[in-house]
Amino acid sequence: MEAKKEIHWYAFYVRMHHEKKTAEKLQMLKIVHFLPIQEVIRQWSDRKKKIKQVVIPMLIFIRTDEKGRMELLQNLPSLTGCLIDPATRRPAIIRNEEMEKFKFMLDFSDETIRFQSEPLVPGEKVEVIKGSLKGLQGELVELEDHSQVMIRIEHLGYATVEIPVGYVKKL
């Protein structure tokens, strides 16, 4: 009896500075993947420059089944392993809803997304009602006098973005 092919999002570790090259290789192989990248403005002493920066260094998300996951680890030298769920000691599965919220946050945020892996005390559940992130739901946290909306991605932590308090409503 053949096992049913269950396709999930997995978080793969990538060799340092190989994230973009790995994404290009996966694109060529027509493998569904997601490399979170955002444009940021870097300030040097003499100039400013817009650059595309990887949001979570040394990590790429790939949608595949268990067999495909194993084949990728064996055949792509830049992939060094998978994020492990500490409870099951198996490769962590990233839920579709979490990936969709994270992609939405990256696509529509005017502010820089930062990732925090340390657990935060859950705050108010909120929905963004104004601006480019309208409709996004998450938790509101106060960090260093700034309001931030947080999206929790199980096993990874929280993606946060700064949003004016007037842009969110309590759920």
Side-chain angles (χ1 to χ4, degrees):
M1 187 170 117
E2 193 177 316
K4 190 176 89 176
K5 278 190 176 189
E6 285 192 41
I7 296 178
H8 301 288
W9 282 104
Y10 295 97
F12 283 80
Y13 292 112
V14 183
R15 289 193 1 231
M16 192 180 291
H17 306 302
H18 282 71
E19 300 93 346
K20 291 176 185 173
K21 285 268 186 239
T22 302
E24 287 171 14
K25 180 78 171 158
L26 292 166
Q27 185 71 43
M28 282 176 17
L29 296 170
K30 294 184 175 20
I31 294 171
V32 178
H33 66 284
F34 176 59
L35 177 62
I37 289 182
Q38 64 188 345
E39 263 192 8
V40 294
I41 295 172
R42 279 289 147 108
Q43 174 75 54
W44 281 271
S45 58
D46 60 335
R47 62 195 158 97
K48 284 183 180 180
K49 186 178 181 184
K50 265 189 183 179
I51 62 165
K52 289 187 185 291
Q53 175 179 295
V54 174
V55 177
I56 312 168
M58 299 174 69
L59 207 67
I60 192 168
F61 298 94
I62 302 174
R63 191 164 164 75
T64 187
D65 60 7
E66 181 61 23
K67 183 174 181 265
R69 187 187 68 76
M70 298 297 290
E71 286 173 1
L72 284 168
L73 285 171
Q74 289 167 357
N75 299 319
L76 275 184
S78 60
L79 297 177
T80 60
C82 252
L83 183 71
I84 299 296
D85 179 346
T88 62
R89 293 201 167 102
R90 300 270 314 126
I93 291 170
I94 312 296
R95 295 191 346 254
N96 279 335
E97 311 83 73
E98 292 175 341
M99 284 302 297
E100 292 312 311
K101 283 182 179 181
F102 185 42
K103 285 178 175 181
F104 179 80
M105 187 185 221
L106 276 166
D107 285 346
F108 292 101
S109 176
D110 300 325
E111 299 295 324
T112 301
I113 308 280
R114 289 182 301 281
F115 232 87
Q116 306 173 195
S117 58
E118 69 271 6
L120 299 167
V121 178
E124 295 285 358
K125 298 272 189 231
V126 295
E127 180 175 351
V128 180
I129 56 170
K130 280 194 208 167
S132 54
L133 292 176
K134 185 177 177 183
L136 182 68
Q137 294 181 358
E139 292 176 26
L140 181 70
V141 290
E142 297 286 332
L143 294 175
E144 298 152 21
D145 303 325
H146 300 291
S147 297
Q148 298 194 334
V149 171
M150 221 172 41
I151 298 300
R152 186 170 198 307
I153 297 180
E154 213 173 325
H155 311 303
L156 279 181
Y158 300 86
T160 61
V161 65
E162 222 168 277
I163 289 183
V165 179
Y167 279 42
V168 298
K169 72 170 186 186
K170 189 174 170 182
L171 286 178

